[in-house]
Amino acid sequence: QKEVEQDPGPLSVPEGAIVSLNCTYSNSAFQYFMWYRQYSRKGPELLMYTYSSGNKEDGRFTAQVDKSSKYISLFIRDSQPSDSATYLCAPLIQGAQKLVFGQGTRLTINP
Amino acid sequence: DVKVTQSSRYLVKRTGEKVFLECVQDMDHENMFWYRQDPGLGLRLIYFSYDVKMKEKGDIPEGYSVSREKKERFSLILESASTNQTSMYLCASYKETGANVLTFGAGSRLTVL
């Protein structure tokens, strides 16, 4: 079983839609839950992260973690064409040297 | 602005050639990584280094080697390039904190003919 599973998409939605991106993981020791965003022909950049369970909001973006079901979500409200990118989830154990990444979900927001 | 710089954005090499991919970071980070990224497979870790002259194998080290002679520089070497090494290569680094946030370079797209 892979440590992190993420639907690779692609996902295409109209501008203004609410987008839900999801990952599942198998290792209950994960403590940090990162979301990276990667634009075409660029390297990934950290979008936001949460520690342990719960929600974290940053503008139009909300990261949510449910440790009981080992489920990670990223919600984008009022999606914009500039949100078109690949989104990668990356759970992490504090102190671990290696990160594990989901496959990445390719998202397109259509004007 | 902190940076990870990959010297070559696009390379085309022939099968059997030796290939060097260079990565330099200016953030005094201890940890550096090389990933490859392929459609449908996501990011896969090739090698990483947590200190000068130290290296650790990642998930797919076969066919690759690395060198870290200075803290800021981490090189990926393909001793004899093969067509199945055609890929996007990403270098990244982080400093030890609670959440080890990776800073990535822009990537090096390698095509092996």
Side-chain angles (χ1 to χ4, degrees):
Chain A
Q1 183 185 6
K2 286 186 180 178
E3 282 196 281
V4 186
E5 299 270 7
Q6 183 177 8
D7 186 342
L11 182 62
S12 182
V13 302
E15 183 175 355
I18 296 174
V19 177
S20 173
L21 304 170
N22 307 294
C23 293
T24 58
Y25 64 92
S26 58
N27 189 343
S28 58
F30 288 134
Q31 297 164 292
Y32 290 90
F33 301 90
M34 333 284 270
W35 283 95
Y36 286 81
R37 178 173 62 191
Q38 184 177 20
Y39 291 115
S40 181
R41 290 184 292 278
K42 303 272 188 176
E45 289 183 304
L46 182 72
L47 178 62
M48 60 193 301
Y49 71 88
T50 58
Y51 177 73
S52 193
S53 277
N55 291 3
K56 183 174 181 179
E57 191 172 314
D58 184 0
R60 296 183 294 107
F61 296 86
T62 300
Q64 188 173 82
V65 177
D66 182 346
K67 293 192 84 177
S68 62
S69 57
K70 298 188 179 69
Y71 201 78
I72 314 166
S73 299
L74 178 70
F75 298 98
I76 307 174
R77 291 187 305 278
D78 188 24
S79 56
Q80 303 294 310
S82 59
D83 297 328
S84 298
T86 296
Y87 291 80
L88 302 110
C89 63
L92 172 70
I93 300 170
Q94 183 167 351
Q97 290 174 314
K98 295 195 303 181
L99 275 75
V100 291
F101 285 89
Q103 283 183 290
T105 301
R106 187 172 170 186
L107 173 66
T108 301
I109 309 297
N110 302 301
Chain B
D1 192 20
V2 295
K3 270 209 164 36
V4 176
T5 302
Q6 295 182 233
S7 54
S8 304
R9 289 299 309 275
Y10 301 94
L11 303 95
V12 180
K13 297 291 182 181
R14 299 241 175 241
T15 301
E17 281 192 83
K18 191 169 186 175
V19 182
F20 291 88
L21 299 178
E22 301 285 336
C23 175
V24 178
Q25 51 93 4
D26 63 1
M27 300 166 281
D28 199 35
H29 286 177
E30 302 94 353
N31 300 278
M32 297 188 73
F33 300 77
W34 276 105
Y35 291 89
R36 65 177 282 178
Q37 186 175 33
D38 301 287
L41 296 176
L43 284 167
R44 292 182 292 168
L45 182 63
I46 305 171
Y47 268 97
F48 68 100
S49 169
Y50 54 88
D51 202 351
V52 175
K53 296 193 185 296
M54 306 302 289
K55 61 185 179 184
E56 295 282 346
K57 291 181 180 179
D59 301 316
I60 52 162
E62 296 79 17
Y64 303 93
S65 62
V66 290
S67 172
R68 191 156 181 211
E69 296 297 317
K70 294 185 178 182
K71 189 175 186 179
E72 67 271 18
R73 189 179 298 269
F74 192 36
S75 302
L76 181 69
I77 303 153
L78 289 67
E79 292 289 343
S80 178
S82 62
T83 54
N84 63 11
Q85 293 178 309
T86 292
S87 186
M88 169 69 86
Y89 290 88
L90 289 160
C91 177
S93 69
Y94 74 73
K95 195 170 190 64
E96 291 286 346
T97 60
N100 295 328
V101 177
L102 281 170
T103 300
F104 283 87
S108 298
R109 180 161 293 282
L110 172 67
T111 301
V112 183
L113 301 175

